[in-house]
Amino acid sequence: MASLSIVPPPAPRVIEPVRLRRLEALAEKVLWLSAWTIHNANHIRPSRDGLKVGGHQASSASLVTLMTALYLDVLRPEDRVAVKPHASPVFHALQYLLGHQTRDKLERFRALGGAQSYPSRTKDTDDVDFSTGSVGLGVAITLFASIAQDFVKLKQLSPDKRPAGRMVALVGDAELDEGNVFEALLEGWKHDVRNLWWVIDYNRQSLDSIVNDRLFNRIDSLFEMMGWRVVTLKYGKRLEAAFARPDGEHLRQWIDECPNSRYSALVYKGGADWREHLSRDLNRYPGIRRILDEHDDDQLHGLMTNLAGHDMEAVLEAFHGIEDDLPTCFIAYTIKGYGLPFAGHKDNHAGLMNKDQMAGFKAKLGIADGTEWDRFAGAKLPADELEEFLAQVPFAADGVRQHVAAPVPVIDLPVPQVGGGKASTQEGFGKILNDLAAGDSDLASRIVTTSPDVTVSTNLGGWVNRRGIFHREEVADTFRDEKVVSAQRWAMAPTGQHLELGIAEHNLFLMLAALGLTAPLFGARLLPIGTLYDPFINRGLDALNYGCYQDSRFMVVATPSGLTLAPEGGAHQSTNTPLIGMGQDGLASYEPAYVDELGVLMAWGFAHMQAPAGEGGSIYLRLSTRSIEQPDRPMTATLRDGIVSGAYWLVEPAEGVELAIVYCGAVAEEAKRAHAAILEDIPGAGLLAVTSPDRLHADWLKHRQGGQGPSRIERLLAPLARDAGLVTIIDAHPAALSWLGAAAGRRVEPLGVDHFGQSGDLPDLYRTYGLDENAILDAVARACLA
């Protein structure tokens, strides 16, 4: 079993024997309850569809000792944990022992209304800090949560006077195959991340096979290079004692050199096979022969599987030995399926104990029939002693650990005066934030911006110049100190309100997810805004979905977008992103054409980000660099409602008219010119401005499913003739608007872009891809002739 470069742990803390016995007894109960919860779901609960339920008994077992030590002894109320997805049953078992989970939900594990397959902030009722499921993302978000905690603490925004908590990730070793973990590591180094623990469950098995020995050969060096302390937990107390005996160094060497695949196979086969291999390879050493003679097969198996990740005393010494805030990686050697009949088998990832195996396991633990769900059935210590111990667990001492933060008042945003002139929505965004930065409102003080190295090109420069870049320590602007002329001021300090990131969209969305959870995690309301180029939403989509899944609240400003970014070419011209906005749960997406619309939507978005669970969410604004003529109009309550609801008539249709042009975004100019050109032939034709295909679509589905009468889009289109035609146009995939035909029961001629773009200027590209005035007029002709 290949050895890592072992860094000696800090000076061990003496663990009281009585405390150790209680934790070991509770760990055995956690192993039982997690395994039984999965068994019940697969073998006892009636199946109505014949589908396998699953639950990862082996992956859960490898983390039992580590998680028991953390939750029942080491963690404090302010600490936050991302649990390895496949250890969800262990988490639920611990919460059940602490009184935060119900038997009913355990019995319905992976069923409707029961404990979730993977820990979920929004769907589990026990105390989940970070949702996990998509491997690697739960690991990385703890790093960004630590940065978010620094932001809150250094600005004294949190009402909680407790010290900074540790952000803890319980990491499956195969999760380190995920590239986003290493992207996050580098970002953490740049931001001098602190109060961060990653506990790697190094069981050397992945979903399909044994992890290659070479995978971890450099892992300690990698972490140390990024400024982390590495603590390797390889051997438990019994093995360490054996190594200290005469010839014990040969036993250590044998295990160190044993390939992962062979070690795992011997774990599965048991004591007799351990004896055979050790006798064959080490029989020439008298000290080894004495060890073999002193142990029967079961005892020998127990000795050879005494890895530190399953040795409660070794685990507690390591965890309690860390008393500073340096980021720390614990590499804990474990066995997949430890304590279960199929421990070590390469196929055990999705394996389940059969009924006979479970009966034997239950008998071994002394659990009588009918007492399977009793919290202390079969426990090695009296129930009242364990109950008293659990009542004093530090992590649960304060009861509910989730905060409720007061909302930040949302003011009317200072929309730049551009009426009658030309402007782009991206330009308007920069001006709105710049004006906010110049004031001293509570709203401005709670905004935090972040961007993956496109701060200036997404018009955040003015905000950053006024509000500064956040860093734990003050860092001077060298160019300014050297009197080099620059429009940008890049001084860093704890007072800054912008987090500059490297070019990694996963990091952007994980940073936004962490910042958007500061209200429940740290009691401080922040209003995060992240900017990026619109096409690169696709790069970070997994992390964006992850943030929305746990109901994090943030604003994504994606710009520039579409073919309108003409000279940049197809790699930078987004087409499918409005469909992402429509399909992504927890994210309200908008594409305003005008700056006054943008001002309304940003103000609404800040309120939407603070609404209670089930009512609010995050917001996505798709903006453009294209400057178009801005309307000079008052912002009436009716217009404001239309902008937020998703659509309004820029030109209202006559009753019974046969046609309307529907546009979204920066193609407003082409739509307006085409509309003006058809009025002589089709007097009374309508011109509908759509600010959010997403909101319209969601409202339509809600009304159809709820029987609540006509939806907003149906009411808006009601004046049109029943056989009227709609021409829809958007600088994106036409499906974003073509669904209006189904909603309105009318013919649609959809215009948009469903191929990769290419370099060019706007007249050429709009003509080539059918977005110009002539293309709209041709579509009008088809609609009227149909």
Side-chain angles (χ1 to χ4, degrees), residues 532-708:
L532 77 165
Y533 293 171
D534 191 61
F536 302 135
I537 283 178
N538 291 288
R539 283 186 180 176
L541 188 54
D542 192 19
L544 170 61
N545 177 70
Y546 174 67
C548 292
Y549 174 68
Q550 52 193 328
D551 198 26
S552 178
R553 306 297 180 84
F554 49 84
M555 181 181 292
V556 177
V557 177
T559 180
S561 63
L563 285 174
T564 303
L565 188 59
E568 290 281 351
H572 284 68
Q573 295 166 352
S574 54
T575 59
N576 67 329
T577 48
L579 300 178
I580 291 172
M582 293 176 68
Q584 180 59 60
D585 190 20
L587 186 72
S589 66
Y590 287 89
E591 185 169 355
Y594 302 117
V595 175
D596 61 352
E597 296 173 349
L598 175 63
V600 167
L601 293 174
M602 287 182 68
W604 176 85
F606 289 137
H608 185 67
M609 289 157 62
Q610 301 182 74
E615 298 177 24
S618 292
I619 181 171
Y620 159 35
L621 300 174
R622 187 177 192 251
L623 306 186
S624 175
T625 50
R626 187 188 184 193
S627 290
I628 62 175
E629 290 290 335
Q630 300 293 306
D632 191 0
R633 58 188 178 181
M635 184 53 64
T636 65
T638 300
L639 177 57
R640 186 185 300 270
D641 178 67
I643 292 168
V644 171
S645 298
Y648 63 92
W649 286 111
L650 196 64
V651 179
E652 293 198 19
E655 192 72 31
V657 73
E658 61 187 281
L659 184 107
I661 295 175
V662 181
Y663 76 88
C664 182
V667 291
E669 299 251 293
E670 285 67 30
K672 287 168 68 176
R673 288 199 297 269
H675 178 263
I678 66 172
L679 287 179
E680 184 175 342
D681 295 325
I682 311 175
L687 181 60
L688 187 67
V690 172
T691 57
S692 178
D694 172 41
R695 298 286 286 182
L696 290 179
H697 188 262
D699 179 71
W700 174 55
L701 290 181
K702 177 181 175 182
H703 280 75
R704 285 186 65 82
Q705 295 165 0
Q708 303 174 29

Side-chain angles (χ1 to χ4, degrees), residues 100-304:
H100 300 157
Q101 180 61 282
T102 66
R103 171 177 170 175
D104 173 66
K105 288 187 179 294
L106 289 184
E107 290 193 56
R108 288 188 289 149
F109 174 64
R110 293 194 169 204
L112 185 64
Q116 293 296 296
S117 310
Y118 310 116
S120 171
R121 282 188 59 83
T122 58
K123 295 179 173 60
D124 276 316
T125 54
D126 43 3
D127 200 3
V128 178
D129 292 317
F130 300 104
S131 300
T132 52
S134 185
V135 294
L137 296 181
V139 180
I141 197 173
T142 58
L143 183 149
F144 293 101
S146 182
I147 297 172
Q149 179 179 232
D150 282 346
F151 189 93
V152 166
K153 292 290 186 182
L154 289 172
K155 288 177 167 52
Q156 299 182 336
L157 296 177
S158 174
D160 189 346
K161 300 304 181 184
R162 288 185 300 200
R166 293 165 294 199
M167 303 298 110
V168 180
L170 299 165
V171 187
D173 50 11
E175 289 190 270
L176 294 180
D177 286 342
E178 293 289 346
N180 77 275
V181 172
F182 301 98
E183 290 179 348
L185 267 179
L186 184 59
E187 201 64 61
W189 173 78
K190 289 188 288 187
H191 284 88
D192 190 22
V193 69
R194 302 298 180 96
N195 290 304
L196 182 62
W197 285 10
W198 285 2
V199 182
I200 299 177
D201 174 19
Y202 186 42
N203 62 42
R204 301 163 306 285
Q205 286 183 246
S206 60
L207 273 69
D208 295 324
S209 64
I210 304 299
V211 173
N212 190 289
D213 294 349
R214 297 178 61 192
L215 176 65
F216 272 62
N217 283 351
R218 296 294 179 209
I219 200 69
D220 53 348
S221 299
L222 177 63
F223 276 91
E224 288 168 354
M225 182 174 64
M226 295 296 176
W228 289 54
R229 174 200 293 113
V230 178
V231 177
T232 302
L233 299 170
K234 186 168 186 180
Y235 296 118
K237 295 294 183 177
R238 281 178 289 165
L239 269 176
E240 291 287 1
F243 298 154
R245 294 178 57 171
D247 293 324
E249 71 275 10
H250 300 296
L251 180 61
R252 180 194 291 271
Q253 182 180 1
W254 187 91
I255 301 176
D256 283 345
E257 294 176 355
C258 184
N260 286 340
S261 55
R262 180 172 300 157
Y263 183 87
S264 294
L266 291 173
V267 168
Y268 176 71
K269 295 176 75 174
D273 284 87
W274 284 115
R275 189 178 303 278
E276 177 186 342
H277 280 74
L278 291 171
S279 297
R280 183 185 64 209
D281 297 341
L282 301 178
N283 198 52
R284 63 187 179 277
Y285 300 113
I288 301 301
R289 291 198 301 271
R290 279 194 293 274
I291 290 174
L292 294 176
D293 290 343
E294 292 170 6
H295 293 75
D296 63 24
D297 285 350
D298 287 342
Q299 292 169 337
L300 183 60
H301 180 70
L303 174 67
M304 295 301 291

Side-chain angles (χ1 to χ4, degrees), residues 27-40:
E28 189 172 272
K29 284 305 308 175
V30 171
L31 178 63
W32 163 256
L33 286 168
S34 59
W36 179 253
T37 296
I38 298 167
H39 184 81
N40 177 77

Side-chain angles (χ1 to χ4, degrees), residues 408-409 411 414 433-447 463 466-467 497:
V408 178
I411 60 175
L433 271 188
N434 185 53
D435 290 345
L436 262 176
D440 60 356
S441 65
D442 289 342
L443 177 65
S445 72
R446 296 305 178 107
I447 291 173
W463 166 267
R466 291 183 182 275
R467 292 284 171 157
Q497 288 180 242

Side-chain angles (χ1 to χ4, degrees), residues 333-346:
Y333 280 73
T334 62
I335 294 168
K336 198 163 189 174
Y338 182 76
L340 304 181
F342 44 54
H345 196 287
K346 73 180 183 69

